[in-house]
Amino acid sequence: MKAAVLREIGQLDICNLAVPVCHIGEVLVKMEACSICKTDTKMYNFGQRDLRLPRVLGHEVAGTVVEAGKGVTGFHPGDRVQVAPGIPCGQCHFCLNGISNMCAHISIIGFHHDGGFAEYLLVPAGGVKHGCLNKIPEDLPLEQAAMAEPIACCINAQKLCKVVPGDVVVIFGAGPVGHLHAQVARQSGAAQVIVIEVDQRRIAFAESGSADIVLDFKKSNIIDVILDRTEGRGADVVLCSCAAPEVPVQGIKMLAKRGRISFFSGLPHGQENIPLEYNQVHYKELQIFGAYGCTSEQNVKAIDLLARRKINVDWLITHRISLDELIEGFKLVDSHDAMGVVVTEFRS
Ligand SMILES: [Zn+2]
Ligand SMILES: [Zn+2]
């Protein structure tokens, strides 16, 4: 089968691999759509904490079951499925407390196991057992279902920082995930969704999104605008959906008392710390939340929101490419010349 293998950082080969053999409890999926995540390009350029090389990347996936291993019930050839990439152990302290994305023994498809940038993807038995395979309703296109995973990550972050009806939610970053965050916040009843961006093309594109207002980080005095729009109160929730180190610093400044901030994106490569205004957190009783990955239940929820057209990703998919064009696809994502880039062509 054709596959894109990341051998070393910066060395991605489109090559031929044997089609994985489907053993007991496993499910073999023929890939139909695999969306490029910013994390994929980060892995390609710099590596990533959970990445094990060599690896077929790709964790935002949808396809069709071609084979179900012995003992698998509920999945049959022809089933259209999305795959939640995180495979939990189901037994550790975190799994037993319902936070399987924090599993002490987690392994992730596209990080520890081969992912979706190949003609076929083998879902390990642990993934099948712990609910990583989700059936896709008939009228939901597979390329849209592939984006369930980033939506699930937004659901996870917003659950942690408790977006509730009436909240003023500020999102830094108008990339594809920023727009997914905006739509998830709307679903939670946010009264105002404010998006902040620096890239002019993304600012223009964001006008058609679901934000109430899109602010230019460079032009507006963003903190004044947020205070103006909230009668001086500040934002209830700030979601950091881009890697710029000044974002959390500004975010903390614009929060209302008891405001919540989500460190959703990692810091840029090579940077580990930011100056944090301790006294802002202290006096305003701010709450800081991390967010990493999502649970399989959150993927189910994301599929449901997509199927009911509560979240629209069609307009966010600006490029459909073949597996042969994967490196160009990575460059498109990094250059911000694209929004969603999805591999939809796997075979020659
Ligand atoms: Zn991702
Ligand atoms: Zn576990």
Side-chain angles (χ1 to χ4, degrees):
M1 67 170 183
K2 191 185 280 187
V5 179
L6 184 67
R7 300 202 184 279
E8 299 287 340
I9 291 169
Q11 191 199 335
L12 186 82
D13 287 344
I14 311 291
C15 57
N16 252 307
L17 294 183
V19 175
V21 177
C22 189
H23 293 108
I24 298 172
E26 298 173 335
V27 169
L28 188 65
V29 175
K30 182 172 155 233
M31 289 302 307
E32 304 289 354
C34 186
S35 168
I36 301 176
C37 172
K38 191 76 185 155
T39 304
D40 294 318
T41 75
K42 182 180 175 183
M43 288 179 179
Y44 171 68
N45 292 316
F46 307 111
Q48 201 265 0
R49 188 194 69 178
D50 293 328
L51 176 65
R52 304 289 179 272
L53 294 173
R55 183 65 52 229
V56 175
L57 306 182
H59 58 273
E60 300 180 358
V61 298
T64 315
V65 172
V66 284
E67 194 181 342
K70 240 186 175 172
V72 173
T73 51
F75 292 96
H76 305 281
D79 286 347
R80 300 160 82 246
V81 289
Q82 180 262 355
V83 184
I87 302 175
C89 74
Q91 289 164 2
C92 71
H93 170 82
F94 303 99
C95 284
L96 294 176
N97 282 284
I99 42 177
S100 57
N101 62 314
M102 290 289 114
C103 169
H105 312 288
I106 199 164
S107 60
I108 309 170
I109 291 172
F111 296 62
H112 305 86
H113 306 278
D114 281 344
F117 294 131
E119 283 185 60
Y120 295 92
L121 167 93
L122 185 69
V123 181
V128 179
K129 185 178 165 193
H130 293 296
C132 294
L133 274 168
N134 298 309
K135 285 192 186 153
I136 301 169
E138 224 162 82
D139 54 351
L140 180 63
L142 288 161
E143 63 176 29
Q144 295 185 25
M147 293 183 82
E149 192 271 345
I151 295 170
C153 292
C154 296
I155 292 172
N156 180 57
Q158 294 194 29
K159 184 185 173 205
L160 286 164
C161 62
K162 304 176 204 81
V163 177
V164 292
D167 275 348
V168 174
V169 177
V170 172
I171 298 158
F172 278 94
V177 175
H179 288 292
L180 298 178
H181 262 311
Q183 296 186 65
V184 171
R186 284 264 180 251
Q187 284 307 306
S188 304
Q192 278 192 66
V193 176
I194 300 165
V195 168
I196 301 173
E197 173 59 59
V198 282
D199 187 302
Q200 293 308 311
R201 294 160 299 177
R202 292 205 153 169
I203 289 170
F205 187 87
E207 304 292 347
S208 50
S210 59
D212 294 292
I213 183 167
V214 183
L215 300 176
D216 184 333
F217 185 79
K218 286 181 184 151
K219 281 192 197 141
S220 331
N221 186 335
I222 48 168
I223 292 173
D224 287 348
V225 178
I226 304 298
L227 292 175
D228 266 4
R229 293 182 67 94
T230 54
E231 291 154 350
R233 194 175 85 234
D236 300 299
V237 173
V238 169
L239 304 165
C240 303
S241 184
C242 62
E246 60 269 36
V247 159
V249 177
Q250 294 294 320
I252 282 171
K253 283 192 179 129
M254 67 175 61
L255 278 174
K257 290 174 181 170
R258 285 275 172 107
R260 289 92 69 198
I261 186 166
S262 174
F263 291 180
F264 181 82
S265 290
L267 286 175
H269 181 73
Q271 178 144 17
E272 284 186 357
N273 292 305
I274 52 159
L276 184 78
E277 282 194 57
Y278 182 97
N279 276 342
Q280 289 251 357
V281 179
H282 166 62
Y283 286 122
K284 293 200 289 185
E285 297 191 345
L286 304 182
Q287 299 179 68
I288 300 173
F289 296 89
Y292 182 60
C294 49
T295 65
S296 45
E297 294 79 15
Q298 287 161 344
N299 279 257
V300 174
K301 212 170 187 179
I303 294 269
D304 177 61
L305 287 170
L306 283 166
R308 290 191 291 123
R309 306 288 182 261
K310 297 289 180 191
I311 289 183
N312 289 305
V313 294
D314 195 29
W315 67 287
L316 280 175
I317 301 173
T318 55
H319 292 70
R320 293 164 181 84
I321 63 169
S322 72
L323 192 53
D324 290 313
E325 300 167 314
L326 190 60
I327 292 177
E328 286 85 346
F330 281 11
K331 287 180 183 155
L332 266 173
V333 167
D334 281 340
S335 70
H336 290 191
D337 283 334
M339 292 298 285
V341 182
V342 185
V343 176
T344 52
E345 201 49 69
F346 293 84
R347 286 149 277 272
S348 309

